[in-house]
Amino acid sequence: MERSAAERSRAATSRDATEIVLEGRFGPADRMRYVLVPFQVPAGVRQLEVRYSYSDRVDSDPRMVDGNTLDIGLFDPRGTGPGSAGFRGWSGSHKDEFVVGEDWATPPYSAGPMPAGTWNVLLGPYKVGPRGCEYRVEIRLDPDRSPEPRDIVRTGPPIRPRLPPARSGWLRGDLHCHTRYSDGDSWPAEMLHAAAEAGLDFLGVTDHNNVGHQADYGPGGGAFPIVVPGVEITTYAGHWNAWGSDRWWEFREPTATAVEEAIRAAVDAGATVSINHPKPFGPAWEYETVGPTHAVEVWNGPWGGLNVASLAFWDERLRAGARLTAVGGSDTHVLRGSDPDPRHAPTPGHPTTWVDAGPRPDVPAILRAIRAGRTFVSASPSGPQLYLDRTAGGLSVEAIDAAGCALMVIGPAGTVAAASVDSDAWGAEVPLPTDGTYVRGQLVAANGEVRALSSAIPLGGSAAG
Ligand SMILES: [Zn+2]
């Protein structure tokens, strides 16, 4: 990160009684390099309003090119370093203006003390088009803005659907969604309501580069899914989720070293971590390393959205000896009307991640199951369900609500066994290869689409999974 943003971007600062203006330009060489642009806040200020604009704007969707996408965030004088308490929030390119004050802040920014001194606007030129990116940030001191009332459209007790029962101890959930605390269109209460009405038992809440949504969600439970607190660390060369973590993790340096360091720090702090949507337009995972991650989001949004590439990414690492759990995420962003972005599922639970949480379902049990690889992923909350268990003679497979699918058991050298599933309560014993190190299962429909896939079960040594 550059401290001397003023020089690089020719930032010009002017100030009248209430307004600070920061202007500058990014060239193509500045692409994907965050800069800090400092400004001074005098003592006694209780609220800031930040607005920004820039030339040749295009959407952040990685398929859009030939224009500019400029991300923004804010740090107060308590610091700008990794994990610093000075971090007041990051809104990518999805908010043109926001308020940060003592009493309230525009989500995802945090309200709180307004220390005098050097604050920094964080600017991230994610895309810079051929004509460069001219930007202008306007900051008003004490504009006396009031919070906008919330328009919550999903209220009341959720109506849970009737779903096929899961095996004892297994829970169904979704591990990836977005609200107004990043680029989603709904409030956490609404996302939780939608997840309850999808029939889910847990919901991983993963707004981009923020944790402000977690307090808004609360713990869930009762008629609602258990909330698994999380964050989607969104870098310019790949996204990763950290669950069971209530702080932000470094996202500004898109290098393999920096991302590996950040993943390691999160894992060391007890977070459960996955590499997200490693497939074209995911956006993809462009790092060689996956660090000490626990899981891969093998299935993100609709299966047809290039999840074959994520599956290949995961398979390649399994073959290389990595122990990585398979998880899924709907990446739901839009609950009001239809999402024009085909990468995202329209409702939570598509796909659904099933975890063997055992007799006491809570957040630690869910995260333990993910770390231990006791999961499978299915197309929807109604299944199909796919359970693999080691037995003395080999592998026992149970497939529920999968009539018409093919079961494939796959090891490092390829398909170990295949069978057609001819009933909705189907089971088989599969003899295991003597030379493989793991097997995994998947249920595939006649049109070739994967309907469910399990985590890998290690072979050799003691039975696991
Ligand atoms: Zn993502």
Side-chain angles (χ1 to χ4, degrees), residues 161-165 172 198-200 349-350 352 354 378-385 400-402 451:
R162 266 185 187 284
L163 293 174
R172 64 195 104 199
L200 301 180
H350 298 261
T352 292
W354 305 63
S378 70
S380 82
S382 43
Q385 298 174 51
I400 296 167
D401 298 321
R451 304 287 297 154

Side-chain angles (χ1 to χ4, degrees), residues 12-384:
T13 306
S14 63
R15 162 124 201 249
D16 62 25
T18 59
E19 196 159 284
I20 298 165
V21 176
L22 309 168
E23 285 181 303
R25 179 179 190 280
F26 293 111
D30 300 316
R31 201 172 72 91
M32 295 194 179
R33 295 184 65 188
Y34 275 101
V35 299
L36 291 162
V37 185
F39 63 97
Q40 298 302 314
V41 172
V45 169
R46 302 185 60 230
Q47 191 183 64
L48 301 179
E49 178 194 70
V50 180
R51 294 166 188 268
Y52 81 121
S53 57
Y54 52 96
S55 59
D56 293 347
R57 179 170 181 161
V58 295
D59 190 81
S60 63
D61 184 328
R63 294 166 299 179
M64 308 282 286
V65 293
D66 288 337
N68 302 321
T69 302
L70 185 61
D71 293 335
I72 194 166
L74 187 68
F75 286 88
D76 73 26
R78 289 175 292 173
T80 59
S84 159
F87 182 65
R88 299 301 284 257
W90 176 93
S91 51
S93 59
H94 52 79
K95 293 214 167 32
D96 298 344
E97 57 172 274
F98 54 88
V99 172
V100 174
E102 271 178 5
D103 308 323
W104 72 276
T106 309
Y109 291 89
S110 5
M114 300 292 288
T118 303
W119 288 57
N120 281 277
V121 171
L122 176 72
L123 292 178
Y126 176 35
K127 298 178 199 168
V128 179
R131 286 185 294 277
C133 176
E134 309 274 351
Y135 70 82
R136 178 180 169 92
V137 183
E138 295 170 13
I139 300 157
R140 286 169 69 205
L141 306 179
D142 281 332
D144 199 22
R145 292 262 309 257
S146 309
E148 280 168 22
R150 288 194 178 193
D151 52 334
I152 304 246
V153 298
R154 286 169 182 264
T155 54
I159 300 161
R160 283 186 164 268
R162 266 185 187 284
L163 293 174
R167 248 193 205 178
S168 172
W170 284 75
L171 304 177
R172 64 195 104 199
D174 191 341
L175 287 165
H176 192 157
C177 64
H178 297 274
T179 68
R180 290 198 187 182
Y181 282 81
S182 58
D183 50 351
D185 77 338
S186 300
W187 294 102
E190 296 172 301
M191 186 59 71
L192 200 59
H193 198 274
E197 296 210 325
L200 301 180
D201 304 312
F202 66 90
L203 179 67
V205 302
T206 53
D207 277 302
H208 297 285
N209 293 338
N210 284 290
V211 290
H213 55 283
Q214 294 180 2
D216 203 330
Y217 269 105
F224 292 94
I226 297 166
V227 171
V228 179
V231 51
E232 184 174 19
I233 296 88
T234 304
T235 83
Y236 288 145
H239 298 181
W240 53 282
N241 273 345
W243 301 285
S245 165
D246 63 359
R247 44 149 293 179
W248 71 284
W249 298 101
E250 188 53 54
F251 59 88
R252 293 169 289 182
E253 295 282 356
T255 63
T257 313
V259 75
E260 184 154 351
E261 227 169 75
I263 291 175
R264 190 170 303 283
V267 168
D268 287 350
T272 300
V273 168
S274 82
I275 303 302
N276 295 352
H277 45 66
K279 58 181 184 177
F281 314 122
W285 186 257
E286 295 173 33
Y287 305 108
E288 278 295 314
T289 179
V290 297
T293 193
H294 302 106
V296 173
E297 192 185 50
V298 177
W299 191 337
N300 172 276
W303 176 261
L306 289 170
N307 285 295
V308 283
S310 304
L311 186 58
F313 176 97
W314 180 53
D315 266 336
E316 191 184 323
R317 279 157 186 80
L318 291 181
R319 281 195 298 270
R323 290 277 303 266
L324 294 166
T325 300
V327 296
S330 69
D331 219 342
T332 301
H333 281 67
V334 171
L335 295 176
R336 304 171 189 213
S338 62
D339 190 338
D341 192 327
R343 295 174 299 167
H344 309 142
T347 48
H350 298 261
T352 292
T353 303
W354 305 63
V355 303
D356 177 11
R360 285 172 49 96
D362 57 13
V363 171
I366 292 164
L367 296 178
R368 264 198 311 275
I370 292 173
R371 289 195 302 275
R374 298 194 305 270
T375 72
F376 65 87
V377 186
S378 70
S380 82
S382 43

